[in-house]
């Protein structure tokens, strides 16, 4: 039996909960146009999982369509706050870390797995496992739709410039792997912090520190990750990528499950 340790990043999101949609930066959420891209071709009764309870507007749009919606999130508070914000019983909300195997009852059941800039919250190992976790949820022929911001965020650029100036860049940024470690940035993080809507700066700092290591991606990184995904012989094939018109260098990647699920899982 494998004993799995808690993903410590969940504690960072436990600090934020509904503040994300109530007080966070509007541009951190998908716009109406972007939600339209996520919904394209989804019809009433389709099984859809949204990974990330913070993506409330997308969940509500799917419910309006009559889709059968499941939300998974590794943060208990995010799950609780979304449950409180939605009509009772409107969808299944389940605590689950997407970098792990899918819960048995959901494995291989979903026509669509949707997430907005979730992959940007992953380290290199989590990105691989997270995409496999999404594939694990998909029924044969189902689709992952994952938006990803390519390149650096404005705050990353400030941190890198500050770190370079102070000679501490190597403490928190691996330029080859394109991985930034917010937990290791110390004062550079404090001094580079950009506002996130009306979220209190002290809370914001704790949130960033708790988010730890995050990879930044270019298009080739994403295609390589998709090509490497493998869950019991099934894979992911990139079928489309679409620019998010209003968000700089942000794309929705659509990947279809290939292969056939073999029998029942033990
Ligand atoms: N742009 C996004 C939005 O509009 O909500 C925010 C990025 S992402 C979807 C944030 C959400 O994903 C949070 O609710 C967080 O708790 C959740 N999350 C982050 N890592 C996760 C993981 N490994 N498994 C499940 N949920 C995760």
């Amino acid at each position: 039996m494998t004993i799995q340790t808690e993903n410590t990043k969940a504690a960072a999101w436990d600090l934020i909960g509904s503040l994300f949609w109530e007080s966070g930066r509007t541009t951190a959420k998908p716009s109406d146009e972007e939600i339209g891209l996520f919904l394209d071709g989804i019809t009433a009764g389709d099984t859809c999982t949204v990974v990330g309870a913070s993506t409330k507007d997308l969940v509500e749009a799917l419910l309006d369509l009559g889709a059968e919606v499941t939300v998974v999130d590794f943060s208990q508070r995010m799950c609780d706050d979304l449950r409180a914000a939605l009509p009772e019983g409107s969808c299944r909300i389940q605590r689950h870390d997407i970098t792990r195997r899918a819960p048995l009852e959901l494995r291989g059941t979903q026509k669509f797995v949707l997430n907005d800039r979730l992959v940007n919250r992953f380290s290199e190992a989590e990105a691989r496992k997270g995409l496999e976790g999404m594939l694990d949820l998909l029924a044969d022929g189902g689709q992952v739709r994952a938006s990803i911001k390519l390149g650096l965020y404005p705050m990353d650029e400030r941190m890198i410039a500050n770190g370079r100036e102070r000679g501490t860049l190597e403490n928190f940024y691996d330029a080859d792997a394109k991985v930034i470690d917010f937990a290791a940035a110390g004062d550079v993080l404090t001094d580079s912090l950009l506002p996130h809507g009306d979220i209190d700066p002290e809370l914001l700092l704790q949130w960033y520190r708790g988010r730890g290591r995050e990879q930044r991606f270019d298009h080739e990184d994403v295609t390589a990750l998709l090509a490497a995904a493998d869950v019991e012989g099934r894979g992911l094939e990139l079928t489309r990528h679409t620019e998010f018109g209003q968000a700089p260098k942000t794309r929705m990647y659509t990947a279809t499950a290939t292969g056939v699920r073999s029998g029942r899982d033990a």
Side-chain angles (χ1 to χ4, degrees), residues 102-118:
L104 267 178
E105 68 279 13
L106 287 176
R107 227 172 258 183
T109 62
Q110 301 295 291
K111 200 164 172 187
F112 297 95
V113 172
L114 314 173
N115 47 93
D116 181 54
R117 289 164 276 187
L118 169 74

Side-chain angles (χ1 to χ4, degrees), residues 13 51-52 68 78 84 93 96 102 144 154-155 175 205 212-213 246:
W13 292 92
V51 189
E68 199 184 310
M78 293 299 317
I93 301 175
H96 166 62
V144 167
M155 210 173 94
L205 269 179
R213 293 166 59 81
Q246 291 138 329

Side-chain angles (χ1 to χ4, degrees), residues 35-48:
I35 287 177
L37 290 172
F38 274 116
L39 298 186
D40 187 31
I42 298 180
T43 54
D46 283 345
T47 47
C48 301

Side-chain angles (χ1 to χ4, degrees), residues 7 9-10 12-14 16-17 20-21 25-30 50-58 72-76 78-79 94-100 114-122 126 130 147 153 207:
N7 185 333
K9 288 186 173 185
W13 292 92
D14 284 337
I16 295 292
F20 188 86
W21 61 79
R25 184 171 52 225
T26 316
T27 53
K29 304 191 279 183
V50 175
V51 189
S54 62
T55 318
K56 175 171 163 280
D57 295 347
L58 176 60
V72 296
D73 199 297
F74 68 173
S75 152
Q76 187 63 53
M78 293 299 317
C79 291
Q94 191 162 332
R95 187 165 174 222
H96 166 62
D97 179 352
I98 197 66
T99 65
R100 306 276 159 87
L114 314 173
N115 47 93
D116 181 54
R117 289 164 276 187
L118 169 74
V119 177
N120 292 103
R121 305 286 73 87
F122 292 156
E126 289 167 339
S147 63
Y153 284 84
W207 179 36

Side-chain angles (χ1 to χ4, degrees), residues 101-216:
R101 286 299 310 260
L104 267 178
E105 68 279 13
L106 287 176
R107 227 172 258 183
T109 62
Q110 301 295 291
K111 200 164 172 187
F112 297 95
V113 172
L114 314 173
N115 47 93
D116 181 54
R117 289 164 276 187
L118 169 74
V119 177
N120 292 103
R121 305 286 73 87
F122 292 156
S123 69
E124 60 276 58
E126 289 167 339
R128 163 97 192 251
K129 288 187 180 157
L131 285 169
E132 292 185 334
M134 295 174 206
L135 167 62
D136 204 15
L137 287 166
L138 286 181
D140 291 344
Q143 271 187 4
V144 167
R145 296 177 178 180
S147 63
I148 302 178
K149 183 198 165 16
L150 303 178
L152 296 169
Y153 284 84
M155 210 173 94
D156 302 336
E157 283 167 355
R158 281 164 68 95
M159 288 175 64
I160 290 167
N162 267 327
R164 200 166 275 143
E165 214 170 90
R166 297 174 195 191
T168 61
L169 184 61
E170 282 174 14
N171 297 349
F172 66 88
Y173 185 60
D174 179 338
D176 294 329
K178 291 178 290 196
V179 172
I180 191 153
D181 186 349
F182 293 109
D187 287 350
V188 168
L189 174 65
T190 318
D191 298 341
S192 310
L193 196 71
L194 288 173
H196 198 295
D198 295 327
I199 297 177
D200 171 62
E202 198 43 53
L203 188 61
L204 205 53
L205 269 179
Q206 285 183 53
W207 179 36
Y208 271 106
R209 286 197 196 107
R211 277 166 40 181
R213 293 166 59 81
E214 292 185 359
Q215 190 182 355
R216 301 300 177 236

